[in-house]
Amino acid sequence: MSRVWAAAFLLRRLRDEVGVALMIFALVAVTAFLFAAAPRLFNQMSDVGLRHRLEAARVVQRNLQISILGPGQPADALAGLADQGQEFLAEMPQSLRSLVVERAVSVTSPRFIVTDAPDRTYQNTFISLRYQDGLGRVTRLVAGRMPGAHGAPLPPIDYGFTPGDPEPPEVLPRFDIALSDATAEAAGLQLGEVIEVTADGNDPMLDRRFAIPLPAEFEVVGIFSVVDADAGVWYDDSSLQVLDLAGSDDNPIALVTALVHPDAYVDVAASGLPFLHEWRYFVDPGRVTSDQAETLVADMRRMQSRFLTSATALPSTVQPTLRTALPELLDGYVAERSASEAVLSVAVVGPLVLAAGAVGMVGVLLVARRRAALALARGRGASGLLLIGAQLWEALLMAGLAGAAGWFAATLLVPGRAEAWSALLALVVVLSAVAALVAATWPVARRPLGDLADDARPLLRPSPRRLVLEGTAVVLCAGGVLLLRQRGLAIDDGEATRFDPMLAATPALAGLAVGIVAMRLYPLPIRALAWLAARRRDLVPVLGLRTVGRHPAHANLPLLVLMLTAAFGAFSSVVTATVDRGQLVASWENLGADYRISRIGGGSVSRADPTGLPGIEAVAGAYVDPAADFTSTPNQSSAILLYGLDADAYRDVTRGAPISAALPADLVSGARPTGTPESPIPAVLSRRLPPASQPVPRGGTFQVIVAGQSMTFVNVQDRLEFPGLEPDAAFVIASLDQLQAAYTNQTLEPNQFLVRAPAEVEAELRAHLQERVALGQLASRHAAYRDLQQAPLVAAVVIGFRGALVVAAAYTALATMAALTLSASARTRDLAFLRILGVSARQALQLTVVEHGPPVLIALAPGVALGVAVAVLLAPSLGLAAFAGTERALAVTVDWIGVALMSVALLVVVAVAIGAATWLARRARAADALRIGDD
């Protein structure tokens, strides 16, 4: 009991050190708040990232579709289809069923070949009938009326008409159809026109049982326009919006899809024809949270075992077929989140080390401040164990209350799902602070009483044991850097990607290792400067430098914190600059220009030429055929991407871009080759050729069919990739002018425009395109760059590093002010003596500058150099390409202006902290300062 009272007596010192206690309380509370808030913030960013990934995916990827190829339904068929869709929904796992917010049904008939098309646009025209839910809100009737039900079913297939019969039935069943305006214009179909058709026996949906023709008539009763071509209800299927073209250039085939009344499905089904029935289940991304991702993946895998799976819209059997990419999207998200966690762990460990260093420094300096009081207590009979116990109680009281306050504030103020890691990290902060304060007291409590009494004893040299431990730590940190460089930040354990905490801490530990070395070496230049200053006649330089040498504990610890902050700041600057530069380069590489104008389904876009519009700086036309016939050897024909580009104009489009888009001079010259073996067209050929191709050496020739005309090309340059094309594409790049000059069939019009223009003209350019070209598409590099920057998990990495830098700078300021505050008594006493001896206020200010300037500069320069070096060394191992939206390796970017601004900001922070502490010290009266410690 007496020891408890003795400990309580020692704790009365808190009454005289309210400011110190509040400083420690604030430091621990802020640290606990930050580390309790971090998991909640990351949970929120993870949820937003998952929703963003699902919303950015194609409709057909993020939703579910179950399809059956089979006979049509009898009367009340739509109700039966709805019931069957509900049964499929009931079979889904609850985790997935809870995400479905809307259902839709689509029914598509086999193709009917048009039999009365002698004067139509396309001699071979096929029409499929479709009923689909939900089109009323994305279409607008522009002529005629929507289809009705005439109640005239197709006769059964076995009605007696055989291929040998010369006469078809006298009265053909007629069905109302509606077409989109783009389809009607392209196919040459008019409102009110009656089309004679018969079932196409070669349709993949049919088999030999349906070789008997089924003649009918289709009447075009309505023309509608598409209000929203990208709406989810289309399910990424544009066949109702515009016709598809198949066949060859010499024998094109038009594939038309027409909209019919729901009752027409029953009438056509009476013939026994099979239909493609599709039940679509729309998932609400807003209902998905990141902690559901792995459960959903497991449930989806089990669901896929119940159904057949297919990547196409056409099932192969009557068994239900599931079509979705949701498991792949979730798997990709889990991998992306793991990568973000791994990279962010580096940003988290930096402030954690600084926080531990700041708390430890406060503990050491607090014990140094209390040395006289501790020596007095030891002299009056207090044991070392009693002193440690009192410090433990004090630390638990201050750190425990501060940690609880920080955790409660994080729970109350920071949005996000509750996370056990929040309480755990807050507890770790509390225990770390307690351990640091107790560990700082340990040497004083266990030291012989005689050593404590000699406050002015000379500094002891570090023991060999301590030097060995510090050397071992330095070697281990260097080994960690090399290991991280070799292995990377993430470790693949075969099932999931996880990060290694030791590797994540490597950059911070590298700064700590260099800090240890600097702490041991920096007295040498200080002593050299003091020796040189002693040769001068003035007092300020020698006195200031010798003060630093006499009290290294007060200078070394802030020096270490500042060095760690500078290193971490430079490291963060390089990481964020590399990601930002990589995003910019990726946006150019993926599109090849600021804007790309094209048309859904292909076709000319000449009417949409934006040349002359306000804000347009350059325009380059292009002719793109993604599957042109390529021949490099006899009897070989493969598909290759043909990219005819206005080479002269493209040079202006890409001027100043961070990509290599220069084309050979042969493509921009004024020559006009004819495309014959005697006069081949110069071309850039990809190093990756189509299958069964022979290598084409530089100067070798090959043939490509350009819009139905065979042309000969000569390889003048080979490239692995080109901006705007897929990285793994096999391509041929030629001059559009030379292709047009060699083309003799008709006019070879561009089907793409590449535009150089600022982001501000996007709205005007989009309106111009919609006015000139039906189903026009505008791809924007500016929008893609914004999307890359605003992707939640990518933004979390950038914001995390920048936020960690701000936190690190705040810890530096707190550590500096704490060091100066805790050593203020000795500094105030020394300053008072000097003022009595005649030192002026100006000389006192110069003394402060000399005392703190060299350590700050010695810490800042190596810290910045270390941070840049570690970032350059480790950047390839951090997997930053995943956050730049590219699979290509990123070039490390050092923003020297940003690094310089960061360094200046740190100097300002330290200068303000030093100035504040000095101002407080100068306010003390000389008489009061001389009595410090007499109580």
Side-chain angles (χ1 to χ4, degrees), residues 418-440:
E419 177 62 61
W421 276 101
S422 295
L424 181 60
L425 289 176
L427 180 61
V428 169
V429 170
V430 170
L431 295 179
S432 300
V434 171
L437 293 173
V438 173

Side-chain angles (χ1 to χ4, degrees), residues 221-576:
V221 299
I223 302 294
F224 63 86
S225 65
V226 177
V227 176
D228 186 0
D230 298 323
V233 69
W234 297 109
Y235 219 72
D236 288 341
D237 184 356
S238 62
S239 57
L240 269 175
Q241 302 176 17
V242 64
L243 60 81
D244 292 331
L245 289 178
S248 63
D249 293 328
D250 296 330
N251 186 28
I253 297 174
L255 303 177
V256 176
T257 302
L259 185 64
V260 298
H261 190 274
D263 291 344
Y265 162 66
V266 179
D267 296 336
V268 178
S271 66
L273 286 174
F275 284 80
L276 177 61
H277 306 85
E278 297 172 333
W279 292 268
R280 293 161 180 171
Y281 302 89
F282 293 90
V283 172
D284 181 10
R287 295 188 178 186
V288 189
T289 57
S290 57
D291 59 344
Q292 296 175 290
E294 296 181 3
T295 301
L296 282 172
V297 170
D299 289 344
M300 284 295 302
R301 299 302 184 196
R302 286 192 293 269
M303 182 179 173
Q304 287 177 325
S305 65
R306 160 69 176 83
F307 298 94
L308 294 177
T309 57
S310 173
T312 65
L314 185 61
S316 58
T317 68
V318 295
Q319 184 177 352
T321 301
L322 174 65
R323 183 189 184 198
T324 183
L326 192 56
E328 290 74 16
L329 289 174
L330 294 174
D331 279 336
Y333 163 76
V334 171
E336 183 179 354
R337 185 183 64 184
S338 298
S340 298
E341 289 176 347
V343 176
L344 281 174
S345 65
V346 179
V348 171
V349 169
L352 179 61
V353 172
L354 286 171
V359 174
M361 184 201 70
V362 169
V364 171
L365 295 177
L366 180 61
V367 172
R369 176 191 178 101
R370 294 173 174 174
R371 177 182 294 275
L374 292 175
L376 179 61
R378 289 283 303 278
R380 293 180 177 179
S383 65
L385 185 60
L386 180 62
L387 295 180
I388 293 175
Q391 183 61 64
L392 178 62
W393 276 104
E394 179 183 332
L396 286 173
L397 178 65
M398 291 189 298
L401 291 177
W407 173 81
F408 180 75
T411 304
L412 186 64
L413 300 177
V414 178
R417 287 182 288 106
E419 177 62 61
W421 276 101
S422 295
L424 181 60
L425 289 176
L427 180 61
V428 169
V429 170
V430 170
L431 295 179
S432 300
V434 171
L437 293 173
V438 173
T441 308
W442 184 273
V444 177
R446 307 301 297 173
R447 183 171 296 168
L449 188 59
D451 292 341
L452 290 176
D454 188 8
D455 187 44
R457 64 184 176 85
L459 295 172
L460 297 176
R461 300 181 61 182
S463 65
R465 177 184 300 176
R466 183 167 184 175
L467 291 177
V468 169
L469 291 177
E470 291 178 353
T472 303
V474 172
V475 172
L476 290 178
C477 291
V481 172
L482 296 177
L483 184 62
L484 181 55
R485 169 72 178 181
Q486 179 181 2
R487 295 175 56 182
L489 186 62
I491 298 177
D492 190 359
D493 60 7
E495 296 181 358
T497 303
R498 58 182 178 85
F499 73 93
D500 188 328
M502 179 62 187
L503 296 181
T506 295
L509 294 179
L512 185 61
V514 174
I516 292 174
V517 174
M519 287 177 60
R520 290 302 172 200
L521 296 181
Y522 105 99
L524 299 179
I526 293 296
R527 291 173 185 172
L529 291 175
W531 179 79
L532 292 175
R535 304 174 66 87
R536 296 169 53 92
R537 300 183 61 182
D538 52 343
L539 179 65
V540 171
V542 62
L543 189 59
L545 293 174
R546 288 186 175 179
T547 300
V548 175
R550 268 201 322 269
H551 302 286
H554 299 164
N556 285 6
L557 295 176
L559 178 144
L560 177 60
V561 174
L562 178 59
M563 179 175 289
L564 286 174
T565 304
F568 183 76
F571 180 85
S572 301
S573 175
V574 174
V575 169
T576 54

Side-chain angles (χ1 to χ4, degrees), residues 190-207:
Q190 305 296 325
L191 181 66
E193 185 174 358
V194 178
I195 310 164
E196 294 183 5
V197 299
T198 187
D200 177 21
N202 295 320
D203 192 316
M205 293 173 59
L206 304 178
D207 55 29

Side-chain angles (χ1 to χ4, degrees), residues 677-874:
E678 295 77 19
S679 180
I681 299 174
V684 176
L685 186 61
S686 64
R687 297 173 188 169
R688 187 181 294 104
L689 295 178
S693 300
Q694 292 294 330
V696 180
R698 188 75 60 89
T701 60
F702 54 92
Q703 287 74 41
V704 176
I705 296 180
V706 181
Q709 177 179 331
S710 179
M711 297 186 186
T712 301
F713 295 80
V714 57
N715 180 15
V716 297
Q717 187 185 79
D718 51 72
R719 296 184 63 144
L720 184 61
E721 54 190 23
F722 192 78
L725 305 182
E726 294 294 332
D728 58 348
F731 57 83
V732 173
I733 302 174
S735 168
L736 179 60
D737 293 339
Q738 295 175 353
L739 291 178
Q740 290 173 332
Y743 192 69
T744 58
N745 291 348
Q746 294 177 354
T747 303
L748 191 66
E749 295 185 347
N751 54 16
Q752 280 188 11
F753 283 115
L754 302 175
V755 183
R756 176 186 176 90
E760 292 76 17
V761 305
E762 182 173 342
E764 292 80 359
L765 193 58
R766 193 176 299 278
H768 170 79
L769 176 61
Q770 292 176 350
E771 179 184 351
R772 298 296 184 91
V773 177
L775 300 178
Q777 281 186 316
L778 179 67
S780 169
R781 183 195 63 79
H782 301 292
Y785 181 49
R786 287 195 304 269
D787 290 342
L788 285 173
Q789 289 185 312
Q790 296 172 2
L793 291 180
V794 176
V797 172
V798 177
I799 294 174
F801 272 98
R802 291 175 178 170
L805 177 57
V806 173
V807 172
Y811 276 122
T812 300
L814 288 174
T816 304
M817 293 188 67
L820 295 175
T821 301
L822 293 174
S823 60
S825 59
R827 182 175 294 100
T828 302
R829 184 173 59 249
D830 293 344
L831 186 60
F833 279 120
L834 293 174
R835 287 171 62 184
I836 292 174
L837 293 177
V839 172
S840 65
R842 180 179 180 183
Q843 288 177 320
L845 179 61
Q846 294 174 349
L847 183 64
T848 302
V849 173
V850 173
E851 183 177 345
H852 296 288
V856 168
L857 295 178
I858 289 174
L860 188 63
V864 170
L866 172 68
V868 172
V870 171
V872 172
L873 182 64
L874 299 183

